[in-house]
Amino acid sequence: MSNENDIITPGMQDYINRNNSYLAKRSQYIQDEVKKWKFDTIAVHGLYSVTDAINDYQGSIIEPIFMSTSQAYRDSDEMAAALAYKIPTWCYSRIANPSTYYYEWTLALLEGYGFDGETTCCSTSSGMAAIMTAVQPFLHVYNTPAEPRNFVATAQCYGGTFQQFSIRLMQERNIECRWVLDATNLDEWNSKIDENTRFLYGELPSNPQLSFFDIKAVADLAHSHEIPLICDSTIATPALLRPISHGADIVVQSVTKSLTSSGFGIAGAVIARKNLTSKFSDDELKEDFALNVKLLQNRDFGPNLHPLQAVMSLNDMRTIRSKMDLMSRSTMKIARSLNSHPQVESVQYLGLPDHPQHELASKYMWLVDAEYDELYNKPVNRYGHLMSFCVKGGAEKTRGVFDNLKRIWRATDLGRIKSVATIPAISTHQQQGEEGRKKAGIPANMIRLCVGAEHPDDILADLDQALNAAK
């Protein structure tokens, strides 16, 4: 990533040799120990070890928060080697910071759990910044500014994603987004790909419709055209779904959501497998996409994550498997109950057998390590804690139900430890307009509900009184 003509002084070479030795030991530690741990152990410890704590951080058992803008160097040789990216560094917190490193290493390991290859991670300030970071490198102009560029994406996606693709990229930069309306139809995906298609992009489960697609089939299709598959797996989290293990090249996480259930701040991440597929990228980008965009693209664009938020997010992630299990079970109970409620027109939840993609989701969505859990001792499907339902009686009746909620919070947020609801047509997906919402399958009478860790009976009681009060 540095200039081939950089002069390496003897002092710089000494630093490089020492740091190469450190990196080799860390890689060996990952292969010999960390890769053998169960998911929960990785979530709790990541790469922060007792040795790190004792030798470097005065024995702190929790990763320290480095509230500093920059790193000091021993001499000019170390600075020159660091700024040429020849040794690990956190020269400036816009580029890197020890706290964000621990956050990135943990997420890379969690998304790569069960994957034979290597994964790396680039932290970002939000989920939207993560999407920009993931797609931007594939949209470069190679010949002339007018050269046609396009990408293919699922229309069933978060409203912010729809805006970024349709407004920021299509309208402002003339980069065509070709929307897939039925993500389960492989022929539709294939029909939209040509020699100028840079990548395929899919969100699953989608927000708020809870749609799904066959990850392996779409990844194989992408690779047959020598382009990558990028997946937004925010709703599932790596506790329930790890797309890289099924062929995806890059995973986007809005860590703000389920991964950090406390709701204390905003964070994002891009996790990529090494040696991804892309005929439009140079070898360095393909070899280690996440590190490349971290040290080059994001250095220049600046969507950095604050070190305080990195450690706060880490603390939330430590118990992600047990939280997703608990909240998924509660959501299943609520979805089943609402499915037979006289005031409810329909329920959208992948765990229900009558959902069109239930069988497909059941192929991919599993509670990680359930077979090692004494409560289950076998593989167990879990479908997450996001669901939606449509109210009988139209938009005004839906607003009445929404306004009558007492325990469930009215907000555009999701993934919280507390249950939160919104009406997507007037909130998260308002800006994409009626035509865009119709394309994405978001009616005006839909309420999106993200179930928290409360007892499900209390959530059901609140839903029931709200539905009945709005008759």
Side-chain angles (χ1 to χ4, degrees), residues 58 98 113 162 164-165 206 225-226 232 299 305 352 355 358 361 393 403 419:
Q58 299 185 35
Y113 187 71
F162 193 94
Q164 184 177 130
F165 289 176
S206 71
H225 290 275
E226 298 181 81
D232 183 334
R299 173 197 66 188
L305 179 63
L352 296 177
H355 190 287
H358 170 73
D403 292 345
S419 293

Side-chain angles (χ1 to χ4, degrees), residues 35-320:
K35 281 279 192 177
K36 296 177 182 177
W37 295 346
K38 298 294 188 290
F39 185 91
D40 281 344
T41 306
I42 293 173
V44 169
H45 291 281
L47 290 190
Y48 185 65
S49 67
V50 173
T51 303
D52 288 344
I54 298 298
N55 290 346
D56 301 322
Y57 306 130
Q58 299 185 35
S60 172
I61 65 170
I62 298 297
E63 293 86 344
I65 301 169
F66 282 75
M67 298 286 283
S68 176
T69 58
S70 56
Q71 173 185 0
Y73 295 99
R74 294 174 179 85
D75 51 38
S76 59
D77 285 327
E78 187 182 27
M79 176 179 279
L83 272 295
Y85 293 150
K86 295 184 180 299
I87 62 174
T89 184
W90 63 282
C91 54
Y92 196 59
S93 282
R94 171 165 49 80
I95 305 169
N97 177 284
S99 301
T100 58
Y101 272 137
Y102 283 114
Y103 165 93
E104 290 165 339
W105 293 336
T106 301
L107 270 172
L109 288 165
L110 294 180
E111 284 290 354
Y113 187 71
F115 174 59
D116 290 336
E118 291 184 69
T119 49
T120 54
C121 173
C122 174
S123 59
T124 63
S125 57
S126 68
M128 292 307 301
I131 295 171
M132 181 195 72
T133 295
V135 306
Q136 184 76 24
F138 301 109
L139 299 175
H140 294 315
V141 173
Y142 288 92
N143 298 311
T144 67
E147 72 177 359
R149 290 167 289 164
N150 71 74
F151 60 95
V152 180
T154 52
Q156 291 76 34
C157 62
Y158 168 57
T161 307
F162 193 94
Q163 288 296 108
Q164 184 177 130
F165 289 176
S166 61
I167 306 299
R168 304 283 86 82
L169 296 180
M170 288 183 72
Q171 290 187 21
E172 295 180 357
R173 294 180 56 192
N174 198 33
I175 301 171
E176 183 185 7
C177 176
R178 297 175 175 177
W179 296 108
V180 173
L181 302 186
D182 179 4
T184 64
N185 186 340
L186 205 62
D187 289 336
E188 185 181 354
W189 283 96
N190 194 41
S191 69
K192 297 180 184 296
I193 301 172
D194 61 25
E195 67 275 8
N196 299 309
T197 302
R198 301 300 181 86
F199 58 85
L200 306 186
Y201 185 99
E203 181 179 313
L204 75 167
S206 71
N207 166 21
Q209 317 89 331
L210 282 300
S211 63
F212 209 84
F213 61 87
D214 191 325
I215 305 169
K216 186 180 186 306
V218 176
D220 288 346
L221 175 64
H223 297 160
S224 72
H225 290 275
E226 298 181 81
I227 55 177
L229 170 63
I230 304 171
C231 290
D232 183 334
S233 187
T234 292
I235 302 304
T237 80
L240 304 184
L241 176 68
R242 293 170 303 286
I244 290 174
S245 294
H246 303 293
D249 296 271
I250 298 169
V251 169
V252 169
Q253 283 286 351
S254 178
V255 181
T256 311
K257 310 299 192 301
S258 301
L259 275 166
T260 56
S261 55
S262 64
F264 285 160
I266 308 294
V270 175
I271 304 95
R273 67 177 177 89
K274 286 193 174 182
N275 301 309
L276 54 75
T277 301
S278 174
K279 63 183 178 182
F280 292 103
S281 304
D282 59 42
D283 289 340
E284 283 193 335
L285 187 71
K286 290 188 288 187
E287 181 185 357
D288 195 335
F289 179 87
L291 183 63
N292 190 280
V293 295
K294 178 183 179 66
L295 298 183
L296 298 180
Q297 173 179 297
N298 281 16
R299 173 197 66 188
D300 301 333
F301 290 151
N304 57 298
L305 179 63
H306 195 283
L308 175 59
Q309 186 58 49
V311 173
M312 291 172 70
S313 297
L314 260 178
N315 274 324
D316 271 343
M317 289 191 293
R318 300 190 207 278
T319 54
I320 186 61

